């Protein structure tokens, strides 16, 4: 079984080597799907520019050395030097038939698996999860799932905020106000959107800002926490446990795979900070500046044109985020033995990570054999184009966001006809609503901002999760109506152009995953799944399945249907999105042919 794009890329590289030797070393064949053929290679234009030659001459030299008789029916040069490639029907049929019997859908485990650390979510103890936690949590979870499926050893890390001055405030306030109910009411365990701890932090912060005597006592409480005072440490642990219960319930609603075992908060690295500062100072990487220990990186300047410091140790002797992140990075390299580290943190931290990586490289804690990447992302906006806020101007609680999406999903489901049983409706609304939020986020280029619009997110039309979910359920309904098993022993025949186009999309799944993982861009997998669902719709509109002219054609098309559903389900699963088998009650909504399938297919 072969991936057509991979086969073509390998053959092109051989041809480039044979035609141009080292002049073409490292050149990307640039093979992509085309509307003029199955694929198109654009390599000649870039290589012609490098060599100072006519691109059509370059294209002709490449084609002369290509050996594609077993793969392509036609190889032609078009325009200024595009190389069009039309695959043999027999090759496509052979490969897609073999794929139907492969549990991994053509995706081979990594030949050289890496240990990849993915840091994401990064919640703060004592505060509720809000809209600002959504992108890091969803993007990080998707990247972890994809790399895990590709055969890498993935270590998920939730770098929670669980240390520092805020805990001195809260613990001291609780010590002085024991009457405060700061734990969730055990008689109402489902109230995950109620956060007494959030209110507690606000009260303690107000006291700290307005009462100098309390502020002094809070600072002393921080010292007691750092010294390991039993009473202080016990209350600190209880606060963390209470917060994590709330966080874990949100993770469960989101279908995110983080657990308590993945926690590696700021407190975990606290004992290492003094040593980090000392080593940097002794090696003269860090220097004293106005009483603080700082690292200055080449080319990092502030608005005033002066070097921007990375503060490792503050002038009061405390340690900042830089020291903690340096300790965390060193631990991940030296103890966890990571080959690659992904930090899924918003774009506003770009300078911070640039400085952390530079310092770690200079200190020898981040060797050239380890890749560290800041996986930045844009903001969530409201329909007014401004950062998404509540009507009062405050950051929106994440649970409120989820509730809103699920409610819109429920309305969409009910508007389509047959009403499922109450329990089934609740579960379906959850899958559709949560899936809609996650897909709307992931289908946007992560470096771009996007508008949070729950009505559009749950739409059954366009590039949305519900469209893909309904497409999957619609395919599964074909087998329920037919009361036939999947004909795994059938050989797929590609007579109609729509069958051919669908087969080509199915065979592109491994390539879509590879580029998604390599570029850390989940939207590329989303785009692929949408293109696959669109290709299936065209196929189903043009090719009778259950009423095909004979059993051989029927079984071939049923196998194409099953493959489409399997790839949709697997792809959505790697994004952390459910792919329901049914989307309704006794007369499943997924049987409604108005859902993105044209009326011409009613009897198909």
């Amino acid at each position: 079984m072969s991936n057509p794009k991979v086969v073509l890329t390998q053959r092109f590289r051989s041809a480039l080597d044979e035609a141009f030797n080292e002049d073409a070393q490292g050149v990307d064949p640039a093979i992509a799907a085309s509307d003029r053929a199955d694929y198109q290679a654009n390599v000649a234009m870039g290589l012609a520019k490098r060599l100072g030659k006519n691109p059509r001459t370059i294209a002709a030299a490449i084609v002369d050395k290509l050996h594609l008789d077993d793969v392509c029916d036609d190889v032609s040069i078009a325009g200024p030097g595009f190389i069009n490639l039309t695959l043999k029907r027999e090759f496509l049929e052979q490969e897609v038939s073999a794929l139907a019997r492969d549990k991994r859908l053509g995706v081979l485990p990594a030949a050289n698996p890496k240990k990849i650390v993915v840091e994401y979510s990064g919640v703060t103890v004592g505060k509720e999860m809000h809209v600002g936690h959504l992108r890091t949590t969803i993007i990080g979870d998707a990247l972890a799932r994809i790399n895990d499926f590709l055969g890498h050893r993935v270590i998920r890390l939730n770098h929670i905020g669980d240390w520092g001055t805020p805990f001195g405030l809260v613990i001291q306030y609780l010590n002085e106000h024991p009457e405060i109910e700061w734990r969730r009411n055990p008689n109402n365990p489902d109230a995950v959107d109620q956060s007494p701890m959030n209110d507690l932090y606000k009260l303690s912060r107000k006291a700290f800002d307005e009462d100098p005597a309390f502020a002094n006592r809070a600072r002393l409480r921080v010292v007691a926490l750092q010294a390991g005072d039993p009473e202080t440490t016990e209350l600190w642990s209880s606060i963390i446990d209470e917060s994590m219960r709330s966080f874990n319930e949100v993770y469960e609603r989101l279908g995110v795979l983080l657990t308590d075992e993945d926690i590696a908060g700021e407190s975990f690295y606290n004992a290492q900070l003094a040593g980090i500062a000392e080593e940097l100072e002794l090696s003269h990487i860090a220097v004293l500046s106005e009483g603080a220990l700082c690292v200055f990186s080449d080319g990092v300047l502030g608005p005033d044109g002066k070097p921007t410091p990375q503060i490792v140790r503050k002038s009061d002797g405390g340690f900042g985020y830089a020291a903690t992140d340096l300790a965390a990075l060193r631990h991940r390299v030296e103890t966890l033995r990571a080959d690659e580290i992904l930090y899924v943190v918003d774009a506003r931290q770009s300078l911070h990570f640039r400085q952390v990586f530079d310092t770690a490289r200079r200190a020898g804690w981040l060797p050239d054999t380890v890749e560290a990447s800041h996986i930045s992302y844009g903001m969530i906006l409201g329909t007014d184009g401004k950062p998404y806020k509540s009507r009062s101007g405050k950051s929106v609680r994440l649970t409120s966001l989820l509730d809103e999406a699920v409610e819109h999903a429920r309305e969409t489901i009910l508007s389509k006809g047959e009403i499922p049983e109450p329990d089934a409706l609740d579960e379906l609304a959850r899958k559709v609503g949560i899936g809609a939020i996650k897909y709307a986020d992931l289908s946007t280029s992560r470096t771009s901002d996007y508008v949070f619009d729950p009505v559009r997110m749950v739409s059954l039309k366009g590039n949305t999760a519900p469209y893909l979910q309904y497409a999957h359920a619609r395919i599964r309904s074909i087998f329920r109506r037919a009361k036939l098993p999947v004909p795994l022993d059938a050989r797929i025949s590609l007579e109609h152009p729509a069958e051919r186009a669908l087969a080509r999309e199915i065979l592109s799944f491994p390539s879509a995953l590879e580029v998604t993982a390599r570029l850390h861009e989940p939207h590329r997998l989303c785009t692929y799944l949408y293109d696959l669902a669109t290709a299936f719709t065209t196929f189903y509109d043009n090719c009778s399945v259950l009423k095909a002219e004979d059993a051989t054609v029927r079984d071939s098309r049923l196998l194409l249907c099953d493959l489409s559903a399997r790839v949709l389900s697997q792809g959505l699963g790697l994004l952390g999105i459910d792919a329901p088998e049914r989307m309704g009650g006794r007369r499943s909504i997924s049987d409604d042919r108005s859902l993105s399938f044209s009326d011409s297919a009613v009897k198909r």
Side-chain angles (χ1 to χ4, degrees):
M1 180 175 52
S2 304
N3 181 334
K5 189 174 179 181
V6 171
V7 172
L8 293 173
T9 299
Q10 291 171 343
R11 302 286 178 91
F12 263 79
R13 283 182 176 149
S14 295
L16 286 165
D17 288 342
E18 190 175 348
F20 301 102
N21 300 313
E22 60 273 3
D23 288 339
Q25 191 170 10
V27 172
D28 182 0
I31 295 171
S34 171
D35 58 356
R36 297 180 180 273
D38 288 318
Y39 292 97
Q40 186 178 82
N42 301 335
V43 62
M45 270 68 76
L47 189 55
K49 193 172 184 180
R50 176 192 288 193
L51 301 180
K53 295 183 178 180
N54 183 287
R56 281 191 70 93
T57 301
I58 296 291
I62 296 171
V63 171
D64 184 59
K65 300 298 183 182
L66 274 174
H67 303 289
L68 291 172
D69 290 345
D70 59 328
V71 177
C72 290
D73 265 337
D74 183 64
V75 178
S76 61
I77 301 171
F82 301 116
I83 302 174
N84 290 332
L85 306 155
T86 302
L87 299 174
K88 283 182 175 292
R89 173 179 163 180
E90 297 80 4
F91 173 77
L92 269 177
E93 290 176 343
Q94 174 184 314
E95 300 310 318
V96 76
S97 295
L99 192 76
R101 285 171 275 281
D102 181 22
K103 292 181 179 180
R104 290 183 57 84
L105 296 166
V107 180
L108 298 175
N112 298 298
K114 297 183 291 186
K115 184 180 286 187
I116 302 176
V117 170
V118 185
E119 178 192 308
Y120 62 108
S121 199
V123 290
T124 301
V125 169
K127 299 181 180 180
E128 285 182 297
M129 290 182 72
H130 56 75
V131 66
H133 293 108
L134 183 63
R135 300 210 72 183
T136 172
T137 304
I138 290 174
I139 294 171
D141 190 62
L143 293 178
R145 287 172 182 264
I146 290 167
N147 280 292
D148 186 60
F149 182 71
L150 291 175
H152 300 293
R153 167 74 193 286
V154 175
I155 299 175
R156 296 169 171 82
L157 289 182
N158 192 353
H159 188 77
I160 66 173
D162 64 348
W163 199 250
T165 302
F167 291 91
L169 317 186
V170 172
I171 293 171
Q172 186 61 34
Y173 197 86
L174 282 175
N175 185 268
E176 297 179 14
H177 299 275
E179 75 282 359
I180 290 181
E181 293 291 338
W182 58 277
R183 291 182 173 86
R184 235 175 355 153
N185 183 355
N187 296 321
N188 188 18
D190 296 327
V192 297
D193 59 338
Q194 301 302 314
S195 181
M197 286 212 47
N198 207 45
D199 295 334
L200 174 61
Y201 177 77
K202 293 175 183 177
L203 291 170
S204 61
R205 171 54 70 177
K206 185 173 185 294
F208 183 86
D209 292 338
E210 298 177 356
D211 184 351
F214 175 80
N216 186 58
R217 295 194 297 273
R219 292 190 185 96
L220 292 174
R221 183 64 68 173
V222 175
V223 175
L225 177 61
Q226 293 172 338
D229 173 66
E231 179 188 3
T232 304
T233 303
E234 182 180 358
L235 191 50
W236 170 75
S237 296
S238 297
I239 291 171
I240 293 175
D241 291 343
E242 182 67 16
S243 283
M244 289 312 303
R245 274 193 289 273
S246 179
F247 296 150
N248 286 336
E249 286 170 341
V250 176
Y251 292 148
E252 185 176 356
R253 287 189 71 185
L254 277 172
V256 168
L257 300 180
L258 284 171
T259 69
D260 286 351
E261 294 181 358
D262 303 318
I263 294 173
E266 294 170 345
S267 63
F268 180 81
Y269 308 102
N270 187 61
Q272 305 170 37
L273 304 188
I276 289 286
E278 182 180 8
E279 284 193 42
L280 290 175
E281 187 171 16
L282 288 174
S283 62
H284 304 293
I285 295 171
V287 296
L288 288 173
S289 177
E290 299 181 13
L293 186 66
C294 305
V295 176
F296 293 89
S297 298
D298 292 341
V300 179
L301 305 176
D304 57 0
K306 296 181 179 180
T308 300
Q310 179 185 34
I311 299 175
V312 178
R313 187 181 63 222
K314 295 180 282 189
S315 58
D316 64 2
F319 296 97
Y321 292 119
T324 303
D325 279 328
L326 285 166
L329 191 154
R330 186 177 186 180
H331 178 267
R332 293 163 188 179
V333 172
E334 297 181 358
T335 304
L336 299 181
R337 315 299 294 179
D339 299 304
E340 186 173 357
I341 310 170
L342 307 181
Y343 293 81
V344 187
V345 184
D346 77 71
R348 290 171 295 181
Q349 298 299 316
S350 294
L351 176 60
H352 169 75
F353 282 109
R354 176 183 169 187
Q355 291 177 302
V356 166
F357 298 159
D358 177 69
T359 300
R361 295 278 186 205
R362 291 163 63 187
W365 302 333
L366 183 58
D368 292 339
T369 54
V370 178
E371 184 179 356
S373 302
H374 175 206
I375 311 302
S376 62
Y377 53 84
M379 299 179 66
I380 299 178
L381 307 176
T383 52
D384 59 0
K386 298 178 181 179
Y388 194 76
K389 301 282 186 180
S390 66
R391 290 182 179 178
S392 63
K394 297 179 180 178
S395 188
V396 177
R397 296 201 314 260
L398 188 49
T399 51
S400 299
L401 213 66
L402 303 184
D403 290 342
E404 184 178 2
V406 170
E407 185 54 38
H408 279 288
R410 183 190 305 274
E411 293 172 2
T412 298
I413 293 167
L414 293 177
S415 71
K416 297 307 296 183
E418 184 78 12
I419 300 175
E421 297 297 325
D423 289 346
L425 175 60
D426 289 344
E427 180 64 10
L428 187 56
R430 182 193 67 79
K431 289 180 178 180
V432 174
I434 300 300
I437 278 189
K438 297 175 82 169
Y439 190 84
D441 191 300
L442 295 170
S443 61
T444 303
S445 173
R446 60 173 170 77
T447 57
S448 301
D449 300 337
Y450 77 93
V451 174
F452 183 86
D453 181 354
V455 175
R456 182 188 62 81
M457 290 176 181
V458 300
S459 173
L460 301 175
K461 298 179 179 179
N463 190 10
T464 67
Y467 172 77
L468 299 181
Q469 289 172 317
Y470 276 93
H472 174 265
R474 180 68 191 82
I475 297 170
R476 288 304 176 205
S477 74
I478 295 171
F479 289 92
R480 287 195 298 273
R481 290 202 319 275
K483 297 181 180 179
L484 291 171
V486 177
L488 291 176
D489 292 334
R491 178 176 174 81
I492 293 176
S493 176
L494 305 174
E495 298 182 7
H496 194 283
E499 293 174 302
R500 182 187 184 93
L502 179 58
R504 192 179 62 215
E505 285 293 342
I506 291 170
L507 289 168
S508 297
F509 180 53
S511 294
L513 274 188
E514 184 277 327
V515 72
T516 298
R518 175 164 48 85
L519 300 178
H520 317 303
E521 295 180 342
H523 78 275
R524 295 180 181 274
L525 176 57
C526 295
T527 299
Y528 165 76
L529 294 174
Y530 177 67
D531 289 344
L532 174 65
T534 302
F536 179 82
T537 300
T538 301
F539 155 75
Y540 194 69
D541 286 350
N542 289 277
C543 302
S544 295
V545 178
L546 299 183
K547 293 186 178 292
E549 52 267 33
D550 59 54
T552 301
V553 175
R554 180 201 65 194
D555 287 351
S556 168
R557 290 175 179 173
L558 280 174
L559 200 50
L560 274 176
C561 289
D562 178 65
L563 265 176
S564 300
R566 287 172 58 198
V567 175
L568 282 172
S569 178
Q570 181 68 73
L572 287 170
L574 293 175
L575 298 172
I577 298 172
D578 289 305
E581 294 284 313
R582 294 175 178 267
M583 299 291 276
R586 290 185 300 275
R587 182 185 67 79
S588 173
I589 292 176
S590 58
D591 291 336
D592 183 349
R593 296 188 177 268
S594 67
L595 300 179
S596 305
F597 293 88
S598 73
D599 292 338
S600 65
V602 168
K603 297 189 186 256
R604 295 185 181 278

